[in-house]
Amino acid sequence: QVRLVESGGGLVQPGGSLRLSCAASGSAFTRRAMGWYRQAPGKERELVATITVGGSTNYADSVKGRFTISGDNVKNTLYLQMNSLKPEDTAVYYCWAGYFGSRDYWGQGTQVIVSS
């Protein structure tokens, strides 16, 4: 069983930075990608950034140039460095892992609030 646990969320002022972490457990032999999604109040969950096992990254247009996704294979941890945060970034951020065989796993989410 795969388990994903996010951390690092919190309250930050506009223009500030946060780094989210996602600790993964379970087998990674068939994992093809990991990523971050977010869901703002009253909105649907949307993709923020993904990274494949080969290191290819993809970002939502709204976060390009501000967010950086990375992973530490030794620690089995996914990161999302968020800079120049905007109020529009306020959301619950979810860690996602996709496995070959159409298997998906989600973390419980960590809340990010960008407000002055």
Side-chain angles (χ1 to χ4, degrees):
Q1 180 66 36
V2 174
R3 184 187 178 202
L4 305 173
V5 180
E6 304 99 330
S7 63
L11 175 65
V12 64
Q13 293 185 336
S17 298
L18 283 174
R19 189 179 77 158
L20 305 183
S21 299
C22 173
S25 63
S27 177
F29 289 129
T30 60
R31 188 168 64 215
R32 64 175 178 84
M34 295 187 72
W36 293 93
Y37 289 71
R38 68 186 182 186
Q39 186 168 21
K43 297 184 178 180
E44 295 184 347
R45 185 169 56 188
E46 64 177 357
L47 181 147
V48 177
T50 59
I51 184 168
T52 69
V53 292
S56 179
T57 58
N58 181 56
Y59 296 90
D61 289 340
S62 60
V63 306
K64 286 181 179 178
R66 300 188 298 120
F67 291 11
T68 302
I69 188 171
S70 62
D72 186 329
N73 289 329
V74 175
K75 295 183 177 181
N76 204 21
T77 301
L78 182 73
Y79 302 99
L80 183 68
Q81 178 65 46
M82 305 185 295
N83 299 325
S84 302
L85 284 162
K86 305 175 181 179
E88 304 92 272
D89 296 318
T90 297
V92 176
Y93 284 71
Y94 296 91
C95 182
W96 163 81
Y99 289 73
F100 293 107
S102 300
R103 293 175 294 168
D104 298 281
Y105 297 88
W106 296 90
Q108 83 288 348
T110 185
Q111 189 169 67
V112 172
I113 300 175
V114 184
S115 177
S116 59

